[in-house]
Amino acid sequence: MSCMKRLCHETRSHDRLRRTLAVCLRLSRRLLLKMSEERDAAALSGSAQTEGEEDLFVSAMESPEAARLSAEDISPSSNGPKAEPMLLDDDPDDLFAEATEEVSLDSPERQPILSDGPSPVITPVTPVMISSRADVFDRSPDQDEDEEENRDTFDIQISVSDPEKVGDGMNAYMVYKVLTKTSLSIFSRDEVCVKRRFSDFLGLHSKLASKYMHMGYIVPPAPEKSIVGMTKVKVGKEDLSSVEFVEKRRSALERYLLRTVKHPALLKDPDVLQFLESSELPRAVSTQALSGAGILRMVNKAADAVNKMTIKMNESDAWFEEKQQQFENLDVQLRKLHASVESLVCHRKELSVNTASFAKSAAMLGNSEDHTALSRALSQLAEVEEKIDQLHQDQACADFYLISELLGDYVRLITAVKGVFDQRMKTWAKCQDAQVMLQRKREAEAKLQHANKPDKLQQAKDEIREWEGKVQQGERDFEQISKNIRREVGRFEKDRVKDFRVVIIKYLESLVHTQQQMIKYWEAFLPEAKAIA
Amino acid sequence: MTSISEDSDKEKVRSVSVDLNNDASLVIDIPDALCERDKVKFTVHTKTTLSSFQKPEFSVPRQHEEFIWLHDTIVETEEYAGLIIPPAPPKPDFEGPREKMHKLGEGESSMTKEEYAKMKQELEAEYLAVFKKTVQVHEVFLQRLSSHPIFRKDRNFQIFLEYDQDLSVRRKNAKEMFGGFFKNMVKSADEVLISGVKEVDEFFEQEKTFLLDYSSKIKDASAKAEKMTRSHKNVADDYNHISGALNSTAADNNTAFKKTISVCVLQKLEDRVASDQELKLTELLRYYTRDIQAAKDLLYRRARALADNENSNKALDKARLKGKDIAQAEENQKQCLQKFDKLSESGKKELTSFKARRVVAFRKNLIEMTELEIKHAKVRRLKCCVFSFKRN
């Protein structure tokens, strides 16, 4: 790691020089840029279309939530709480009044955060111009929005189940069954079942990331590797922690796939389809930490970190700045929250253990008590406490799987979001670099004009054209990525709100259930206690 | 400086033992208490119709050490050997809140304003809870003395209640403390020896086995209950942190990301349940651990008397054999026998009433605890329903 740091340090000073140069030149370049923009804008077919496209987007967003079928199974008991409100009138408890005052959960601000309009410096590019990169899916952003509008026909269910251990010793691995049920036409069959291992998932993610991240799409991050956990499983320890580990991983993989297919672009990606459908998948070796690809990844990561420090982007669009700040804050808060919830899970497990030991102790006390009624009551108390211990355990599970894992997922997602913003910065930097080069070429050409070397002049002119093209391309890319990011962030925020809401409701339902059970147990105990004569 | 006065829910708090103020001729309570730094000053208020007191109603300030002095003098009184002496109240223990306060002071810079205020509130509540508990324990001690036909007439007890000035009870110096410690050790060694002594009386034999067994079990149960309530408090604390974190999240985000309130309220409820459980169950078990110990002490004293009796019998026989000091030995034996009989008689009465008292107290506490659990679970369930309904 230290040699990495040194490497970064060296590149940094070099880059910094370049960057400073770029910054100085940029101010004078702005004028040139504006001129070239106006040229572009005139060539475009009507800004009216861009306006219309934005409206389409807005209306799609505001279509009723109910119409959209979420890929996750919403628990069937969500109808349950509706029956309860009848109790609202009965309880005159003071606490209750306090509750209704404080709760104001219906937020009027359901609309997603859209930018206020086209960014001031660079006019938006018409959707007709598609990026010429070969590895990008051939679809216009228009289609994306149509997809969103037709979300109510989105119907795909994925489940990851049946972890099986294959192989032995250190070469062992877990294989999961991935079952896809769908009515979408892009899939060849209605129901597909394949077997995948963890590295397959990682491979899928790395492919998607390399294809889409630089376009500004938020690619859901894959679950993390865990050497300790996996080693335990490999070694064959059948204890509680390794069972828990496998379950945790299985659930994480399921969530990962669901999030991936929820993304309209990713759903249509051939790699995703292949992953879900084909029975044989080439082994993704490059996901191993110590492979060549792994090392390359580390180097790239370091370089990225350096770039982040050195690129001082001139943010012309306040929306991006605001969003980035928001995500920074959200990141910090979610991490804190995640830590608190993990501590809650831990303590609740402890509580359940202590309750169990108390139950045993109370049973023994009941045994040694010579007053029969009291003895019976104490034994009953022990039983009640035991049942409550079980309740606590279940509640801990719920705490964990619902809330804690969700928070963990979102912490990782926010990292992906921040990565996307960084991509935009990189694109901008590239664009800037291209402009610098263009300027240099122009200067060179100007010099050659004076020097009167016709063949070199021609070459210089060719080079200028080439770089002009590159500058245009850079600007278009920047436009595209900015636009994609806006849309992605909007989608992300909506999904986040929905996700959290669904999870909170599930969690509250589990709490309700726990309370029900507790009431039942204590009410059964009460007559016993009263019977002590 | 904290003080509580005329607390209406003191009634709820005071329930470890059954209501002992049934007899209006001598009614004692601690309506007020002041806490200064380390010391707690209790205001002992007495209302009486007995003529042995100078006034019908009076109050005196007392400190914890004076309670201990009273207990010790009663224990040391030979006459009361056959009685179960109410266990002394434990020293007020503000260690928990104090530690928390320390932590709060240290972490002040790293917390947000709301979090700090909340933790402070929580700390104050805990402090108050400990305070209430210690007042209750001291009160119960006095009430048990006052409700007992023999103890209430004790001269020292009356002085304790009445004497205006400071009793100037000096704290045990090192030698006395050591002496006390040594005495305890001898006692426990003796207990082992004495449990081997042949017990003639069926009743006492039964009681002995029962008490020995029960005492260890209840100690264990009390410890486990404490652990359980402490875990519960931890869970409640976590909810507190979570709601704090959620609050800050919601404040910054203008999207529908507000779920703080529900969790906040849940946390408050968890807290309350934890403290209710604590009061009812844990206190009950703790108190009776001490009480059982007092009963065991009675048995011990009786066993000691029995041993003495046997020894005196042996001595008498030996004297008769030797032919000298017969009268003295006879006198000794007669005294021992008397003492033993007296102890046995009062001991039997005491132990029987102790059992009855214990059963009643357990019943009351268990019922109250159960009712509270049900009530809180119901309220929590309601709230969860309301919130999930509103969410939908």
Side-chain angles (χ1 to χ4, degrees), chain A residues 166-343:
Chain A
V166 170
D168 230 347
M170 284 314 283
N171 290 327
Y173 57 92
M174 296 299 277
V175 164
Y176 304 88
K177 190 170 84 166
V178 178
L179 176 66
T180 314
K181 284 198 199 138
T182 175
S183 59
L184 291 178
S185 48
I186 48 172
F187 287 90
S188 56
R189 297 198 292 281
D190 272 356
E191 208 174 295
V192 191
C193 183
V194 292
K195 285 204 159 38
R196 296 282 177 256
R197 56 182 289 189
F198 186 63
S199 55
D200 292 338
F201 289 83
L202 292 181
L204 175 68
H205 170 71
S206 76
K207 279 193 224 153
L208 292 178
S210 63
K211 278 202 269 185
Y212 292 102
M213 279 277 272
H214 61 68
M215 288 222 309
Y217 284 18
I218 301 173
V219 175
E224 283 166 353
K225 278 177 171 252
S226 161
I227 301 179
V228 175
M230 248 349 255
T231 314
K232 267 208 219 155
V233 173
K234 284 184 189 181
V235 165
K237 275 177 91 176
E238 275 302 324
D239 65 350
L240 193 63
S241 66
S242 56
V243 166
E244 270 179 23
F245 172 78
V246 170
E247 174 55 31
K248 188 170 149 182
R249 177 163 277 192
R250 183 208 66 81
S251 153
L253 290 174
E254 194 172 274
R255 288 195 308 271
Y256 165 67
L257 282 183
L258 284 170
R259 274 210 191 88
T260 308
V261 297
K262 263 213 287 196
H263 194 299
L266 296 181
L267 176 58
K268 300 207 152 86
D269 184 280
D271 279 323
V272 171
L273 292 174
Q274 185 193 31
F275 181 90
L276 289 175
E277 286 189 322
S278 75
S279 43
E280 281 304 315
L281 204 63
R283 176 97 188 275
V285 194
S286 63
T287 56
Q288 286 169 345
L290 293 177
S291 65
I295 307 250
L296 191 63
R297 262 204 303 278
M298 283 204 287
V299 172
N300 279 337
K301 247 196 212 157
D304 278 346
V306 166
N307 276 342
K308 228 171 123 167
M309 287 189 276
T310 54
I311 301 180
K312 268 295 165 267
M313 180 163 164
N314 184 22
E315 188 56 77
S316 42
D317 189 353
W319 186 88
F320 281 94
E321 205 161 302
E322 184 192 311
K323 277 293 148 186
Q324 269 189 290
Q325 190 54 46
Q326 252 181 31
F327 279 113
E328 283 292 328
N329 292 343
L330 190 61
D331 191 22
V332 166
Q333 284 154 3
L334 280 185
R335 274 180 211 272
K336 218 164 89 168
L337 193 57
H338 185 55
S340 299
V341 173
E342 284 198 323
S343 137

Side-chain angles (χ1 to χ4, degrees), chain B residues 68-241:
Chain B
I68 300 298
W69 165 82
L70 178 61
H71 175 257
D72 287 345
T73 47
I74 291 181
V75 166
E76 285 160 11
T77 312
E78 198 56 48
E79 277 177 30
Y80 303 142
L83 306 173
I84 296 180
I85 297 168
K91 195 162 181 305
D93 177 25
F94 290 102
E95 198 48 52
R98 200 174 297 146
E99 214 181 276
K100 234 185 177 173
M101 181 157 69
H102 196 61
K103 243 194 280 182
L104 191 72
E106 278 180 3
E108 185 174 347
S109 48
S110 63
M111 283 193 263
T112 64
K113 243 205 177 87
E114 299 96 34
E115 248 181 59
Y116 183 72
K118 193 172 259 178
M119 273 205 81
K120 197 151 165 240
Q121 213 178 35
E122 196 182 275
L123 175 69
E124 278 170 10
E126 195 174 313
Y127 199 73
L128 196 64
V130 171
F131 198 56
K132 276 197 205 160
K133 220 173 20 171
T134 188
V135 165
Q136 175 211 354
V137 159
H138 285 77
E139 198 179 59
V140 163
F141 171 67
L142 291 179
Q143 284 171 348
R144 276 200 53 192
L145 288 176
S146 72
S147 59
H148 195 285
I150 299 179
F151 286 132
R152 64 177 13 200
K153 298 200 205 105
D154 181 66
R155 187 69 202 127
N156 286 322
F157 183 50
Q158 291 187 346
I159 293 174
F160 179 90
L161 290 176
E162 232 183 355
Y163 192 59
D164 270 17
Q165 263 96 76
D166 188 15
L167 288 172
S168 30
V169 168
R170 66 176 168 75
R171 294 185 74 184
K172 287 188 174 158
N173 63 22
K175 193 161 79 158
E176 282 171 345
M177 291 250 254
F178 188 67
F181 172 68
F182 191 64
K183 230 194 314 181
N184 273 333
M185 282 198 60
V186 170
K187 193 168 93 166
S188 36
D190 263 347
E191 263 180 19
V192 174
L193 285 172
I194 280 163
S195 53
V197 167
K198 182 85 167 58
E199 185 56 73
V200 261
D201 194 332
E202 181 65 36
F203 173 78
F204 282 102
E205 183 65 37
Q206 260 183 348
E207 281 298 306
K208 191 172 72 180
T209 19
F210 168 68
L211 281 179
L212 283 175
D213 182 37
Y214 198 73
S215 133
S216 66
K217 300 272 168 63
I218 200 172
K219 216 185 280 185
D220 183 50
S222 168
K224 299 274 166 65
E226 258 177 81
K227 248 172 125 183
M228 187 171 71
T229 36
R230 221 164 337 141
S231 299
H232 220 142
K233 273 225 163 83
N234 282 339
V235 169
D237 272 345
D238 282 333
Y239 271 124
N240 194 15
H241 290 145

Side-chain angles (χ1 to χ4, degrees), chain B residues 2 23 39 94 99 104 114 129 192 231 242 248 260 282 359:
Chain B
T2 330
D23 184 4
K39 297 197 176 298
F94 290 102
E99 214 181 276
L104 191 72
E114 299 96 34
V192 174
S231 299
I242 291 176
S248 50
T260 71
T282 320
V359 169

